[in-house]
Amino acid sequence: MRVPGDKSISHRAALLAPLASSASVVRGLSDGVDVRASVQAMQRLGAAVECEEDEPGLTIRCAGGGLNVASAPRLDCGNSGTTARLLAGILAGSGIPAVLDGDPSLRSRPMRRAIYPLQAMGARIEYDGEPDRLPVRLRGRATGTLRTLRHRGRVASAQVKSAVLLAGVLARVRVEVSEPALSRDHTERMLAEMGVPLTFDPGRTGAGDVSFDPADWEGALEGLRMTVPGDPSSAAFLIGASLLGGRTVRVEAVAANPGRTGFLSVLEEMGAGVDRDPAPAPGGEPRETWTVHPPDGLRAFSIGGDLIPRVIDEIPLLAILAVRARGRSEIRDAAELRVKESDRLAVLARTLEKLGVVVEETPDGLAIQGRAGRLSGDVETRGDHRIAMAFGVLDAAGDADLRIDDRTCADVSYPDFWEALEPFRRGSRRGRSSPAGRVIAVDGPAASGKSSTARSVARRLGFVHVNSGLLYRAITWWALDTGIAADEPSIEAAVPGLDLALVPGRDGFDVSVAGARPGTALESSEVTARVSAVSTLPAVREVVLERLRRAGRHHEIVCDGRDIGTAVFPDADLKIFLVAEAGERARRRLRQRAVYFTEGDVERETRRLEARDRLDRSRPLSPLRRAPDAIEIDTTAMPPHDVVDAILDLAAAAFR
């Protein structure tokens, strides 16, 4: 196997290469959503960065010359804590004003540990809302520079260390960072590769110091040219699947940084055979090929202390392996997991208990009693990619039947994870092929309940809900924001090159346009008034159809809209066409507005819907019509849960 480029190294390349004074080319970056957030942030800061999809991963080309910011931008870090914390160091060191923000999950995660040492250096940073949480506002420096800092971290944190180092390097002031245990040193290695005079020991395996002294350094970062090695955390999940399936796996060209390979020693403690073959290390990062052989049976393990920072991303996987190990496994000193994308300790404990596994949750860890036998139940991922991937590994082993509510969140770090997992799957789910690439299309007239029904069906099946209207609204919002909403030729000329993407959210997909997430602004009255006209433009429809079909190729989706079963997914696995009497649809729409209404209001709304129906059916481009193979469901007299149950029965027959 080969795995995507290492996410941690990719983040740093995306953030540091644009700061160089000369050109950089970095290949093989992770193409996950998190790394794209770092690339887009640097573009928003005026860096000359070109990003293109390559094989494998992403390639970025930076002309050099640093940042060029005309005003204080608002930078959307998405769900990426690495993007937010490292950007804080870059902005603080550069004296550039900006606002760092993120999605609801990132907004719930603590920031003080990285922000406080930057404030201690003299950076002007304020919390825009809740203390210790995003958004944070960095204000430019009127005069002077940052102060020197000697930082002593109470816990090992590569993100905090990186933020301090980046601030010191860009402000050209001396900094020292000491850690109680080894954390990832990708930032140190990359800065050293770019000519920065750092003092650190890249071969250390325990606590250590890193320092930067600008004396005798001219201050120019050299261009970066490298190919990112494979992500060891991504490799770990495939290795875990191979162990549960009793197969040997060989993973090539993986990053072998000492701060990232702790899980291999845990696998050896569990009885696995691990062969490590070194390879050349361009870019300052060691890389290896790993061959892992399964034992006759996995043994329980016990981990804690200095090892935890070196296995922090793999602990959800290790917890899953503990379920199938002989004896009682223990994880200690891992309280850091409570402030990741989810409270991973709590989510693991609750989910395993629901599956019938004996688990003891402690403030900083878990104790898991291994067990044999079939496991079955629901997995609520809380939008956390590591949780989804870990339980996907358990499900693939063949002695579990799990319904994972959100598979698409794996896109954050490993967009093709479910496809990569397929060779390891042992057939507990007879007749099921790849978990990606199946589509349920839901069409129907306005106010027939398409979106709410599709959302519920997706949640019940563990599919992803895709609302096609979000993409049209996002383009309309962008056109309004750029002042071209009334200039249809300009929209058609610009939209083919528009950065428009469906990104994983907690309840289906969110939408990102031009590097921003409009969120609730998509429902504004201005967007509503203009979206119908924008959505009829051929170039707009072509772009939206391409994005929707891409989602259908890579995920199990339930997609709703006006022409989903006819134009967007004519080969959908199941097509549903919802209808209801116009008067009933009018009442539903008025109830959604949560206001008192009269029969007169119902009559007026009914007339509006009937006019909308006539318009939709008479459109020259993709008119509203039922596909010949769509199953029509009249919901006039049906409560919502009966409609959902009916579609689930049809899906069970279609996917048998």
Side-chain angles (χ1 to χ4, degrees):
M1 305 289 296
R2 282 185 177 269
V3 292
D6 180 77
K7 186 158 77 92
S8 293
I9 298 173
S10 297
H11 272 301
R12 286 154 175 82
L15 295 169
L16 294 185
L19 302 175
S21 58
S22 55
S24 298
V25 179
V26 185
R27 305 181 188 276
L29 281 82
S30 164
D31 63 350
V33 176
D34 275 9
V35 171
R36 289 179 182 269
S38 288
V39 174
Q40 290 166 358
M42 297 308 282
Q43 290 171 332
R44 289 271 289 165
L45 287 168
V49 183
E50 295 180 0
C51 179
E52 60 186 40
E53 295 190 13
D54 209 341
E55 186 60 41
L58 302 176
T59 293
I60 59 170
R61 291 179 171 85
C62 309
L67 308 180
N68 182 19
V69 184
S71 60
R74 193 175 192 90
L75 304 176
D76 180 7
C77 302
N79 191 235
S80 174
T82 302
T83 304
R85 296 183 180 104
L86 269 62
L87 270 178
I90 289 172
L91 295 169
S94 304
I96 293 175
V99 176
L100 296 175
D101 204 352
D103 67 10
S105 172
L106 186 57
R107 278 189 167 197
S108 70
R109 288 147 65 184
M111 290 289 151
R112 183 180 182 277
R113 200 164 62 193
I115 297 301
Y116 176 74
L118 299 177
Q119 291 172 324
M121 294 176 72
R124 300 170 61 202
I125 308 177
E126 304 162 358
Y127 295 104
D128 258 10
E130 182 182 351
D132 194 25
R133 299 290 188 269
L134 293 181
V136 297
R137 182 179 299 276
L138 292 96
R139 300 193 181 277
R141 292 193 301 274
T143 59
T145 186
L146 298 182
R147 297 187 287 269
T148 62
L149 180 71
R150 179 176 294 175
H151 179 69
R152 300 285 183 267
R154 289 182 293 177
V155 297
S157 170
Q159 293 179 2
V160 175
K161 174 179 61 177
S162 297
V164 172
L165 287 175
L166 290 170
V169 168
L170 294 175
R172 300 187 67 183
V173 297
R174 179 176 176 81
V175 291
E176 298 178 8
V177 181
S178 295
E179 296 184 293
L182 176 66
S183 70
R184 302 173 186 184
D185 61 0
H186 303 306
T187 301
E188 296 97 297
R189 290 173 183 264
M190 194 169 293
L191 286 173
E193 192 75 10
M194 299 174 78
V196 177
L198 296 179
T199 301
F200 71 105
D201 179 5
R204 72 188 190 278
T205 56
D209 300 338
V210 57
S211 63
F212 163 70
D213 189 339
D216 301 323
W217 180 54
E218 294 182 357
L221 293 170
E222 299 170 9
L224 188 63
R225 294 181 179 270
M226 66 178 295
T227 297
V228 177
D231 189 288
S233 297
S234 296
F237 286 89
L238 300 183
I239 291 170
S242 75
L243 292 177
L244 292 183
R247 301 172 64 185
T248 293
V249 64
R250 178 183 175 92
V251 191
E252 299 179 337
V254 188
N257 188 290
R260 305 291 300 283
T261 57
F263 77 96
L264 293 176
S265 63
V266 183
L267 297 185
E268 290 178 317
E269 183 181 346
M270 300 184 77
V274 180
D275 299 327
R276 301 174 61 175
D277 300 317
E285 287 286 350
R287 61 188 70 198
E288 296 174 341
T289 290
W290 298 337
T291 306
V292 181
H293 310 276
D296 290 336
L298 293 172
R299 299 192 296 264
F301 63 86
S302 178
I303 59 174
D306 291 352
L307 180 61
I308 293 299
R310 299 170 57 210
V311 298
I312 195 71
D313 284 341
E314 294 78 44
I315 286 177
L317 171 70
L318 294 174
I320 292 302
L321 296 181
V323 172
R324 295 309 193 189
R326 295 191 299 268
R328 186 174 187 265
S329 297
E330 294 186 354
I331 300 167
R332 305 179 309 278
D333 305 317
E336 176 76 10
L337 290 178
R338 295 200 180 276
V339 291
K340 294 290 186 179
E341 285 85 338
S342 67
D343 181 341
R344 288 179 179 166
L345 295 178
V347 172
L348 285 166
R350 285 195 299 269
T351 306
L352 291 175
E353 285 176 346
K354 287 194 299 182
L355 299 180
V357 178
V358 177
V359 182
E360 178 187 349
E361 180 184 354
T362 65
D364 65 351
L366 300 170
I368 301 169
Q369 182 65 45
R371 56 157 291 180
R374 192 166 190 81
L375 302 173
S376 179
D378 296 326
V379 176
E380 184 179 356
T381 64
R382 301 297 180 91
D384 190 324
H385 59 129
R386 302 293 184 198
I387 297 295
M389 293 164 69
F391 282 98
V393 167
L394 180 61
D395 186 52
D399 48 7
D401 189 6
L402 307 181
R403 293 172 293 279
I404 300 172
D405 71 339
D406 181 7
R407 294 173 180 269
T408 189
C409 60
D411 287 1
V412 164
S413 58
Y414 198 162
D416 295 325
F417 172 72
W418 302 105
E419 290 89 337
L421 190 62
E422 277 305 299
F424 301 94
R425 183 174 295 279
R426 287 165 51 176
S428 67
R429 307 173 90 164
R430 292 183 295 276
R432 178 173 183 152
S433 58
S434 167
R438 296 198 295 189
V439 176
I440 297 175
V442 181
D443 287 283
S448 59
K450 299 186 296 295
S451 291
S452 57
T453 299
R455 188 179 300 110
S456 296
V457 169
R459 187 181 297 117
R460 293 277 296 276
L461 287 175
F463 282 31
V464 184
H465 174 231
V466 179
N467 181 348
S468 62
L470 286 180
L471 290 168
Y472 291 112
R473 285 181 170 271
I475 293 173
T476 305
W477 174 87
W478 160 80
L480 288 164
D481 189 57
T482 53
I484 62 171
D487 186 353
E488 294 182 355
S490 292
I491 296 174
E492 290 217 89
V495 78
L498 181 62
D499 179 13
L500 177 71
L502 289 164
V503 295
R506 290 202 169 194
D507 190 15
F509 281 114
D510 292 332
V511 63
S512 169
V513 58
R517 296 194 194 187
T520 57
L522 296 181
E523 302 299 328
S524 69
S525 58
E526 294 83 1
V527 170
T528 300
R530 190 63 190 159
V531 66
S532 180
V534 171
S535 66
T536 62
L537 300 176
V540 170
R541 296 193 61 78
E542 184 177 342
V543 167
V544 170
L545 261 61
E546 190 278 330
R547 300 303 191 273
L548 293 173
R549 287 168 179 162
R550 183 189 300 174
R553 288 193 299 270
H554 291 91
H555 304 284
E556 289 182 312
I557 68 172
V558 182
C559 186
D560 67 88
R562 191 187 68 240
D563 56 358
I564 302 304
T566 54
V568 183
F569 294 113
D571 298 321
D573 300 89
L574 176 63
K575 299 178 185 178
I576 303 296
F577 194 83
L578 299 180
V579 298
E581 294 178 357
E584 175 60 24
R585 289 188 283 134
R587 288 184 174 85
R588 293 174 183 173
R589 176 151 288 184
L590 291 168
R591 290 190 199 105
Q592 287 178 343
R593 297 171 185 167
V595 296
Y596 173 79
F597 60 88
T598 65
E599 282 303 309
D601 296 323
V602 174
E603 291 177 8
R604 284 187 290 273
E605 188 65 28
T606 300
R607 288 195 295 271
R608 279 194 288 267
L609 288 173
E610 289 173 338
R612 170 72 180 275
D613 292 346
R614 289 192 295 271
L615 175 63
D616 286 346
R617 291 192 179 101
S618 62
R619 291 178 188 273
L621 188 65
S622 298
L624 172 67
R625 60 184 176 86
R626 182 171 70 85
D629 54 345
I631 300 170
E632 183 172 295
I633 300 177
D634 189 336
T635 69
T636 302
M638 295 178 68
H641 61 84
D642 284 352
V643 180
V644 172
D645 287 343
I647 296 175
L648 292 174
D649 290 340
L650 293 168
F655 299 146
R656 184 173 295 131

